[in-house]
Amino acid sequence: MSIENKKANFKSKSEKLKSYYEKYSLGLNDIQQLIAGISDFSVVTPVIGGFSSGKSSLINAVLSLNLMPVEITPETAIPTEIRYSPNEQCQRLTEGKWLAAQVKEIRENKFLYSDTKLVKAFLNVPFLKEIPSVTLVDMPGLDSGIEAHNRAIDDYLLNSLAYIITVDSEQGLTESVILFLKELKLLSVPILVVLTKTDKRSKSDVDAMFEDVKNKMEQYTGVGKFQITTASARKQDVEQVRKFLTEIQNQADSIFENAVSQKLNSAISVIEKYLTTRVNKDDFTIEEIAEKEKLLKKQIEELEIKIDKEKETLSSDIEKCITLAEGKIKMRLEGSTASIVSDLLANRDPKTQINSLVRVSILESIQTEITPRIQRFFNTVSDLSGIELEINSHLDSDPIKGKVNDLMKDSIKKVTPLILAGIGFAFAGPIGALVAGVLSVITDIFFEKKKQDDARRTAEEKVRNEIVPQVSSQAIASFRTSIAAHLSEIVDKLHESITKDKEMKEKALDDLRAQKNKAIEEQNSVLAELQEDLSQIQELKN
Ligand SMILES: Nc1nc2c(ncn2[C@@H]2O[C@H](COP(=O)(O)OP(=O)(O)O)[C@@H](O)[C@H]2O)c(=O)[nH]1
Ligand SMILES: [Mg+2]
């Protein structure tokens, strides 16, 4: 089945499910979100590499289209999403609003980065038509050194499902790309490394560079974690890149299906629970129902208290993780003193390097320490809710655990780039000033003859005694704030999801009582209808 058919299929199932939600007056939020996400789905694939490494030229060659401006200065590059649509149209995000744009304006690099943060081009060109579920993104250079660009890259870093990395075959892997690779190592997604501009070098030089980059990639991201190929935009030699994108298109199917069927099944289980409660409690007397309702309310109150207690444990656990993360950042920065010093001595701003070291440390801490603790919290809470709220034995084939797990994975995945982006931003100001200060001290000493050893020593001291401690403490402060804000968001979501479940049971009981009071003689036909709806809904399951 093609992905379009799958989308249509999921959409019609979800629409059907929605009509049942409406029929029984259940909240429509989740199901509406599910439906919207189905039509918008795309595998976002950014093209990432150093400034002038040939990203835009590669995209143009792959599309056989003169779309992206080439040879532009790093600070004018704007992230541009390119995707297939039968109806061509472009948009730009300017001062928070989406405005119409023209292909010509993109090509002529008419927008200013200062006010336009993102461009989207929906195009009808033959190759894009072959990869309708993939969104290519032309990114600013990794080493543009512009803080806002770092943030743009962060936004795509963990949200992307595939990556193309361009490496100039005349340059090889640069420091900024290596730093990025270390971040990528922690994710597992398809990666294609492209050695660009091969027409500029002899075949043997290209071969040697290919081996070198391949070995380094294996070292930084791991064997088997990437594909590598060569390309020349000038000679239109980009077949391997097209092949990679076509492979992504083929996988898009299963990526999409996984994500959507999980959500659809969890929406089904909500209404399933509601209808099952009504059907199974049908032979209860009105008094029995009232009693069950009372019990349920009491159990919900008790559960709230227990969840609050678990929240406290979680925040003290997270505090410990933050302390550990601070140690990690310090260690990483200290371990890189020599390379920060060499940046300073060469009068280069070490901010990109520092930023990336901090990001890697934080990402590692989120993945290896914070996530497992949140996981434990989620498990404990879902256990509590399972035991405490068990009303009737045939209700506890409860899919809540699976749902809680998905919810957690989903939340962490969404929140991580936000946390990382927040950190890059927070230490741009004061740390930027600190680094600039150190730079000027160093260059002053450095340019006095015979004082180069002094300069090195001074630089080392400044890095150890000023930059490392200040960067770590500031990064940690913003990490702490950021994690607190996002964590409460995640926890609230969990809370909501558990409460929703219980509310569903409450509502079922309530509606049931109303139904009893209304007309006992209508019972049989109502029951038949409920049972029919239930079996219809169960047939929607994947
Ligand atoms: N000879 C040759 N030059 C290329 C090729 N690809 C890009 N370039 C040149 O490299 C420079 C930077 O390319 P561009 O696509 O703007 O790089 P970006 O900054 O990574 O988007 C431009 O002068 C391009 O003409 C190629 O395949 N062969
Ligand atoms: Mg470019």
Side-chain angles (χ1 to χ4, degrees):
M1 209 195 295
S2 80
I3 190 156
E4 286 314 312
N5 287 342
K6 272 184 186 155
K7 277 188 185 179
N9 186 26
F10 272 115
K11 202 154 184 177
S12 87
K13 281 185 176 181
S14 311
E15 295 284 2
K16 223 178 261 170
L17 192 62
K18 187 179 160 198
S19 69
Y20 286 109
Y21 266 68
E22 278 164 346
K23 176 170 178 182
Y24 292 103
S25 317
L26 307 173
L28 292 179
N29 254 355
D30 288 0
I31 192 109
Q32 271 161 349
Q33 258 180 26
L34 170 68
I35 292 169
I38 291 173
S39 355
D40 284 353
F41 180 82
S42 180
V43 183
V44 175
T45 310
V47 178
I48 290 182
F51 159 63
S52 201
S53 60
K55 300 178 293 296
S56 304
S57 305
L58 183 71
I59 289 178
N60 289 343
V62 163
L63 303 180
S64 306
L65 186 73
N66 181 11
L67 172 71
M68 296 309 302
V70 294
E71 234 175 359
I72 57 174
T73 53
E75 49 310 337
T76 60
I78 298 174
T80 303
E81 293 189 0
I82 304 157
R83 186 176 173 182
Y84 171 73
S85 166
N87 313 309
E88 297 214 347
Q89 54 137 330
C90 303
Q91 303 163 354
R92 61 189 168 111
L93 181 62
T94 302
E95 288 165 357
K97 286 197 201 79
W98 283 105
L99 305 176
Q102 303 298 322
V103 168
K104 191 165 175 283
E105 294 172 304
I106 299 178
R107 185 185 305 130
E108 293 172 4
N109 199 28
K110 289 278 192 217
F111 310 122
L112 289 176
Y113 191 80
S114 56
D115 53 41
T116 293
K117 297 290 182 247
L118 180 62
V119 174
K120 286 188 183 184
F122 296 87
L123 303 174
N124 186 355
V125 297
F127 182 66
L128 281 182
K129 199 169 177 176
E130 288 174 32
I131 54 161
S133 312
V134 178
T135 298
L136 273 169
V137 194
D138 191 8
M139 300 291 293
L142 266 185
D143 38 15
S144 76
I146 297 162
E147 198 55 40
H149 281 174
N150 285 343
R151 263 182 290 145
I153 291 165
D154 280 337
D155 283 343
Y156 286 96
L157 183 65
L158 291 184
N159 280 325
S160 300
L161 296 167
Y163 295 86
I164 293 176
I165 298 169
T166 51
V167 177
D168 189 332
S169 60
E170 287 190 310
Q171 271 194 324
L173 285 176
T174 56
E175 191 61 24
S176 61
V177 174
I178 292 172
L179 286 170
F180 174 72
L181 292 175
K182 289 181 182 165
E183 297 192 34
L184 261 196
K185 185 183 181 178
L186 302 165
L187 309 173
S188 76
V189 287
I191 300 171
L192 177 69
V193 179
V194 184
L195 270 192
T196 59
K197 311 185 193 176
T198 49
D199 58 282
K200 287 172 109 176
R201 304 200 64 180
S202 71
K203 183 170 183 313
S204 61
D205 284 351
V206 171
D207 288 347
M209 183 59 93
F210 186 93
E211 275 312 303
D212 180 56
V213 172
K214 184 165 171 270
N215 289 337
K216 286 187 176 139
M217 282 293 303
E218 284 176 351
Q219 180 191 335
Y220 296 124
T221 63
V223 181
K225 281 204 146 193
F226 63 95
Q227 300 176 41
I228 178 164
T229 187
T230 56
S232 161
R234 175 92 15 124
K235 292 196 161 171
Q236 287 290 315
D237 171 17
V238 292
E239 254 339 285
Q240 293 304 311
V241 181
R242 290 203 181 114
K243 195 169 149 246
F244 176 78
L245 290 167
T246 312
E247 278 165 23
I248 302 287
Q249 172 64 38
N250 295 339
Q251 291 172 29
D253 246 26
S254 61
I255 298 172
F256 167 78
E257 206 167 359
N258 277 342
V260 177
S261 62
Q262 266 174 16
K263 285 187 183 140
L264 180 66
N265 286 343
S266 102
I268 291 174
S269 83
V270 169
I271 190 163
E272 194 179 13
K273 182 160 297 179
Y274 169 81
L275 288 176
T276 315
T277 308
R278 276 188 68 173
V279 170
N280 290 329
K281 300 273 188 298
D282 190 64
D283 49 357
F284 282 19
T285 63
I286 293 175
E287 291 72 29
E288 280 171 326
I289 294 170
E291 203 166 294
K292 291 281 168 200
E293 280 190 285
K294 222 170 96 190
L295 182 65
L296 186 60
K297 282 213 171 69
K298 191 173 144 247
Q299 287 173 334
I300 290 175
E301 276 164 28
E302 284 170 6
L303 178 65
E304 294 287 329
I305 295 170
K306 287 190 177 148
I307 292 180
D308 277 347
K309 236 195 201 148
E310 288 302 320
K311 274 192 203 170
E312 275 171 36
T313 314
L314 177 67
S315 39
S316 82
D317 275 2
I318 297 287
E319 194 45 50
K320 282 176 210 146
C321 297
I322 291 175
T323 313
L324 283 173
E326 183 166 17
K328 265 190 191 150
I329 295 176
K330 273 204 179 118
M331 221 169 70
R332 273 225 163 73
L333 289 173
E334 272 160 10
S336 302
T337 305
S339 111
I340 297 172
V341 165
S342 66
D343 264 0
L344 290 168
L345 293 178
N347 202 22
R348 276 194 306 260
D349 191 339
K351 206 161 69 193
T352 312
Q353 191 184 157
I354 293 174
N355 226 325
S356 184
L357 288 167
V358 170
R359 279 208 306 258
V360 173
S361 316
I362 299 238
L363 187 59
E364 198 180 270
S365 151
I366 292 176
Q367 292 187 330
T368 62
E369 272 142 31
I370 293 186
T371 305
R373 281 178 165 88
I374 298 179
Q375 174 98 60
R376 206 177 60 199
F377 168 80
F378 273 48
N379 287 344
T380 315
V381 168
S382 65
D383 276 351
L384 283 176
S385 76
I387 295 160
E388 292 307 312
L389 286 156
E390 186 189 327
I391 297 174
N392 194 314
S393 60
H394 48 251
L395 281 185
D396 67 355
S397 53
D398 218 338
I400 191 164
K401 250 198 179 145
K403 209 164 78 193
V404 160
N405 231 339
D406 296 341
L407 179 75
M408 187 194 97
K409 281 192 205 131
D410 206 44
S411 314
I412 303 238
K413 212 176 128 231
K414 284 207 185 97
V415 148
T416 312
L418 297 177
I419 292 175
L420 292 176
I423 285 149
F425 177 61
F427 89 101
I431 294 295
L434 170 73
V435 170
V438 174
L439 264 177
S440 77
V441 172
I442 306 299
T443 32
D444 283 353
I445 305 175
F446 198 68
F447 285 107
E448 282 178 47
K449 284 194 186 74
K450 291 179 195 151
K451 287 213 173 156
Q452 303 197 348
D453 279 350
D454 283 0
R456 179 171 299 277
R457 225 172 297 119
T458 312
E460 265 169 21
E461 260 167 39
K462 294 263 177 200
V463 170
R464 268 189 234 291
N465 301 334
E466 292 176 34
I467 294 182
V468 172
Q470 290 199 39
V471 165
S472 341
S473 80
Q474 228 174 87
I476 279 303
S478 79
F479 184 37
R480 180 177 280 119
T481 322
S482 188
I483 239 220
H486 294 301
L487 198 62
S488 67
E489 207 175 281
I490 296 178
V491 169
D492 287 351
K493 243 197 217 153
L494 168 70
H495 211 132
E496 196 187 288
S497 135
I498 284 178
T499 324
K500 191 161 52 184
D501 232 74
K502 306 314 159 199
E503 277 170 4
M504 220 36 76
K505 287 181 184 165
E506 249 187 319
K507 181 169 162 43
L509 291 170
D510 209 38
D511 290 353
L512 184 61
R513 194 167 45 152
Q515 172 201 328
K516 290 247 163 186
N517 286 334
K518 212 168 136 203
I520 296 289
E521 62 268 24
E522 276 177 20
Q523 205 71 105
N524 287 340
S525 67
V526 171
L527 189 59
E529 193 185 346
L530 291 172
Q531 243 142 7
E532 172 59 21
D533 286 355
L534 180 59
S535 69
Q536 292 282 335
I537 285 163
Q538 281 165 341
E539 260 168 42
L540 294 174
K541 251 192 215 170
N542 266 58

